[in-house]
Amino acid sequence: LSPASEALAEVLLCEIALKNRDRIGLLWDNVLSQHYKDRLGKKERKQLSHSKSETAIPTSQEEQFMSILMIPGLEKCVTGLLRICTWNVHREDVSNKVLGSLKVLYPPFGGLYTLSPNLSLDKQLAEGLWRICRDVEGLKTIDYDGWDGILGLVEWCALRGEIINPRLANSGRSVGLSEDDPALQAFRSLHLMLNAAELEDSVPLEIVVGVSALIRGGEKQNCPKVSVAGLDLLSLLHTRVETLIITAEQEAGSSAPVETTWVQYWVPILHGMAGAAGTSRYSSVRQHALSMLTDAIIDRHGKYLPDDEICKIFSDICVPLAGDRMKDLLAATAKPDFRAEEVLIELEMCISLLFKPFLHHLKRLLASDEAFVGIWMNMLNVMTLLLGEDIAPQDEGGELTPERLLWTTKELGSEHLRNAILVLAASGVLKTPDAGQVSALTWNSIDDMAFCQKYVVEWQQQ
């Protein structure tokens, strides 16, 4: 079969299916499902020629020739499956089976890129995704299998955007994405699904995986605008998570405790924000993520988590993230080309990430003595990074030099530390240095902070 005939056969197969949409269920179950699985699904390597021995390994020329022959038929096969999915989203009898088959278009079940590594159909996949997601009325009716196929395709497209030249991205000029960029199409699909009133109670919480992939994809593309857009979607998902969890519990009729459900679905949103704050190469993305993460942790959603999970958020997210970022930022101040204003803003955000959630959830943290001591001592260790060395006072006005930046940041950090100490003292946790384990450990740690020595006596008196 020639490549052209193979491509024509795929087009005819799709057209026949679309002309018989009233019988698409019968066609899908008996013919189409297995056809697309065989053509696009992941399979074992087959022989190129019956004349070769069973143990023969194809040469590179044979594999390249095989890849070239596959391209016309595979492309029409992929677009044919996408067309069938687009036209049957609203068909409740087959929509879940048809949309679930999208999993053969991407790993781990898809074999498209294994069979033909020279073939790139990311833009076609992204366009098909957008056309499927535009049918919001149809998306209301699908269940887990359908959503699983769609959200997997969203994740794949979000990570397959075109890479922007780093020189253009760092030149200060606005660099836009093409209209058919896969990551941009994935963003449009996610934005529509999260904002459409018709889907308010229908979108599954697993959509957080696709949003997190979009944030990572922006880093891969050298496009911070995509990552910031993904963070905005994550913030929107955070505001709607309560409604989505209630809907999911009602549909599933689950008897699991509500705390378990919140840990399963809300905490990954926090991890998505923390990942962007800790790993992004762009200060705008990190600052946006740090601000969102701090606000999210002190939001009312925290009341649904058990005390031990609140402690884990501090020990696994807040303290390590703030410590790592502060270490990197303080090291950056020694470089001649550091951006003082950006560093100052991010240092302030790291300090806020430590102390704002800590004071907000203090009563619950104190419910677990052992966990509280570990969290508090780790916070003091992080503050020692900032306050361990003294610095001469700087004038308020003038240029933002590295010395003035450090002094301003240290003053802010010492003020937050003072407030926390006063609150702990009012709660009966901290007393004189010889009045208990926590007090002794606290004042010993503060003794290592050279910048705070001029304030220690005043703090102890207060």
Side-chain angles (χ1 to χ4, degrees), residues 19 91 95 100 133 146 153 161 245 249 274 295 298 331 340 351 359 372 376 378 389 416 428:
K19 292 291 185 182
R91 294 287 301 270
S95 59
C133 293
L153 186 56
I245 286 178
E249 289 178 337
D295 292 340
I298 63 178
I351 295 171
L359 295 177
F372 167 77
W376 175 239
N378 287 334
E389 296 181 2
H416 276 277

Side-chain angles (χ1 to χ4, degrees), residues 327-344:
K327 186 184 299 182
D328 292 341
L329 291 167
L330 291 172
T333 60
K335 299 178 181 178
D337 58 342
F338 89 103
R339 298 179 178 179
E341 194 168 337
E342 291 182 359
V343 171
L344 175 60

Side-chain angles (χ1 to χ4, degrees), residues 162-170 214-228 231 274-289 325 328-329 332 335 339 342 346:
E162 296 179 340
I163 298 177
I164 297 175
N165 188 325
R167 293 181 180 178
L168 296 177
N170 298 325
L214 185 67
I215 298 171
R216 300 196 308 273
E219 290 290 317
K220 182 180 177 182
Q221 286 183 266
N222 301 317
C223 186
K225 291 182 179 179
V226 172
S227 297
V228 171
L231 284 170
T279 61
S280 177
R281 292 172 286 129
Y282 303 98
S283 61
S284 59
V285 177
R286 295 195 302 270
Q287 292 173 16
H288 198 50
R325 288 307 309 145
D328 292 341
L329 291 167
K335 299 178 181 178
R339 298 179 178 179
E342 291 182 359
E346 195 167 342

Side-chain angles (χ1 to χ4, degrees), residues 368-379:
S368 177
D369 293 338
E370 184 176 351
F372 167 77
V373 173
I375 292 169
W376 175 239
M377 295 310 301
N378 287 334
M379 288 176 61

Side-chain angles (χ1 to χ4, degrees), residues 391-408:
I391 188 172
Q394 303 290 313
D395 295 333
E396 293 292 336
E399 184 182 354
L400 190 61
T401 60
E403 293 76 16
R404 185 179 164 215
L405 166 68
L406 282 175
W407 181 78
T408 303

Side-chain angles (χ1 to χ4, degrees), residues 148-343:
D148 195 29
I150 292 175
L151 295 180
L153 186 56
V154 168
E155 182 182 3
W156 175 257
C157 292
L159 293 169
R160 304 291 289 187
E162 296 179 340
I163 298 177
I164 297 175
N165 188 325
R167 293 181 180 178
L168 296 177
N170 298 325
S171 64
R173 293 180 294 171
S174 178
V175 182
L177 301 175
S178 61
E179 284 295 317
D180 58 352
D181 183 82
L184 184 58
Q185 297 281 45
F187 167 74
R188 288 170 176 164
S189 302
L190 289 166
H191 186 272
L192 178 61
M193 286 188 284
L194 288 174
N195 285 279
E198 297 88 346
L199 299 178
E200 185 175 352
D201 300 327
S202 303
V203 178
L205 290 158
E206 286 79 6
I207 196 172
V208 66
V209 177
V211 178
S212 298
L214 185 67
I215 298 171
R216 300 196 308 273
E219 290 290 317
K220 182 180 177 182
Q221 286 183 266
N222 301 317
C223 186
K225 291 182 179 179
V226 172
S227 297
V228 171
L231 284 170
D232 289 337
L233 292 179
L234 211 56
S235 178
L236 176 61
L237 187 59
H238 163 76
T239 61
R240 291 187 49 199
V241 68
E242 185 173 7
T243 302
L244 294 175
I245 286 178
I246 293 174
T247 302
E249 289 178 337
Q250 289 175 347
E251 291 179 354
S254 174
S255 58
V258 66
E259 293 87 355
T260 304
T261 308
W262 275 89
V263 171
Q264 183 179 359
Y265 293 115
W266 183 56
V267 174
I269 296 177
L270 302 182
H271 280 286
M273 298 175 183
T279 61
S280 177
R281 292 172 286 129
Y282 303 98
S283 61
S284 59
V285 177
R286 295 195 302 270
Q287 292 173 16
H288 198 50
L290 284 169
S291 176
M292 286 173 45
L293 179 60
T294 303
D295 292 340
I297 295 175
I298 63 178
D299 194 40
R300 61 188 180 86
H301 292 338
K303 67 182 181 181
Y304 295 106
L305 296 184
D307 294 341
D308 60 327
E309 289 296 332
I310 292 290
C311 293
K312 286 183 65 177
I313 289 175
F314 279 89
S315 59
D316 295 346
I317 299 178
C318 296
V319 179
L321 174 59
D324 291 342
R325 288 307 309 145
M326 289 173 67
K327 186 184 299 182
D328 292 341
L329 291 167
L330 291 172
T333 60
K335 299 178 181 178
D337 58 342
F338 89 103
R339 298 179 178 179
E341 194 168 337
E342 291 182 359
V343 171

